[in-house]
Amino acid sequence: MSDDRQQRLEVRLAETEDEILASQKLRYKVFYEERGAKPSAEMAAAELDFDHYDPLCDHLLVIDHNRGQGADGVVGTYRLLRQSVANQHGGFYSADEYHIQSMLDAAQGNGEIMELGRSCVEEAYRTMPTLQLLWQGIAAYVFKYDIKLMFGCASFHGTDPDAFGDVLTYLHHNHLAPEEMRPRAVEGRYEPMARTTIDAIDARQALRDLPPLIKGYLRLGGFVGDGAVIDHQFNTTDICIVLPTEKVTDRYYKHYERTARVS
């Protein structure tokens, strides 16, 4: 990515229906056309990824002003859902895959809780500066709403957990969430993450093989839940990430507080 393009990128929340549609179009392009997810007939006809959670969420966008203003420039997105909103509309998306009530109970009374999801970036923009910009936007949102805990599903591309066996084993043995706030995959969908013994894997290689997004969560102090879940619609193997915002280092807080702006 050129220096000029980096300077022209902006992160902010979607402000119009057209901008939300642009994020859904990008999600369709990445999830369905690129990664082999299976759309419904309605999604395929519209070439949009959508569900009933979209109207409830805030949609964080990365916009390249070289490409256009607003919807025309959307090159990255994240979907954000606060518990105060989710509680009024049937709960969180992740509850379809994980038992999260113990995590919610453990965090109760300590501030707002937020679910992260539907993260994707256009292929040409999958660089560290774009990822950092998304995190700046998330951090600003955390400050604005006094969010104390973030969580959500993160994915490996493909539906064979043994293909990621060493990485899943590494995560299970090194980054499992504390028991009192540990989500667990729902019965019938539970896939053990400890695919082999910890001594049987190369931990350094497993760390290198982590998808960048998951690696970013861990660097910010994130944990993983118990068990993976195969999502055949999205052609992914999912894990649950738990990220207390107090675990974010002072360096990140100071940086994001100074630089991040979310409308």
Side-chain angles (χ1 to χ4, degrees), residues 110-180:
N110 294 325
E112 183 69 277
I113 300 169
M114 180 175 75
E115 182 180 49
L116 298 163
R118 289 298 202 276
S119 171
C120 66
V121 175
E122 191 172 308
E123 185 175 10
Y125 293 81
R126 289 174 199 159
T127 65
M128 188 56 68
T130 306
L131 189 59
Q132 289 173 340
L133 200 59
L134 280 168
W135 273 105
Q136 288 174 18
I138 290 169
Y141 195 90
V142 165
F143 296 132
K144 181 176 181 179
Y145 290 104
D146 190 28
I147 291 163
K148 300 302 184 185
L149 182 72
M150 300 185 288
F151 75 99
C153 291
S155 302
F156 295 86
H157 185 206
T159 57
D160 178 8
D162 287 329
F164 327 107
D166 286 3
V167 177
L168 292 174
T169 298
Y170 168 83
L171 290 171
H172 177 85
H173 285 285
N174 291 280
H175 296 282
L176 203 60
E179 186 173 1
E180 69 274 9

Side-chain angles (χ1 to χ4, degrees), residues 71-137:
D72 291 335
V74 173
V75 298
T77 186
Y78 238 118
R79 194 168 75 174
L80 314 177
L81 179 59
R82 285 171 282 128
Q83 186 180 25
S84 55
V85 177
N87 284 348
Q88 300 176 36
H89 299 279
F92 287 111
Y93 174 86
S94 299
D96 289 340
E97 295 190 357
Y98 285 88
H99 295 294
I100 60 173
Q101 193 58 51
S102 61
M103 177 193 69
L104 300 179
D105 290 345
Q108 198 67 36
N110 294 325
E112 183 69 277
I113 300 169
M114 180 175 75
E115 182 180 49
L116 298 163
R118 289 298 202 276
S119 171
C120 66
V121 175
E122 191 172 308
E123 185 175 10
Y125 293 81
R126 289 174 199 159
T127 65
M128 188 56 68
T130 306
L131 189 59
Q132 289 173 340
L133 200 59
L134 280 168
W135 273 105
Q136 288 174 18

Side-chain angles (χ1 to χ4, degrees), residues 30-47:
V30 173
F31 299 147
Y32 297 88
E33 294 180 351
E34 181 180 335
R35 299 180 181 171
K38 299 175 177 62
S40 66
E42 190 178 4
M43 289 178 182
E47 296 187 342

Side-chain angles (χ1 to χ4, degrees), residues 17-27 48 70-72 74:
E17 281 299 316
D18 282 346
E19 290 179 354
I20 294 173
L21 284 171
S23 73
Q24 293 171 325
K25 183 176 181 180
L26 176 61
R27 283 158 37 185
L48 299 172
D72 291 335
V74 173

Side-chain angles (χ1 to χ4, degrees), residues 194-213:
R195 311 301 289 186
T196 185
T197 64
I198 189 64
D199 294 336
I201 70 168
D202 181 339
R204 289 185 179 181
Q205 186 60 48
L207 184 58
R208 286 192 290 267
D209 290 341
L210 280 171
L213 183 61

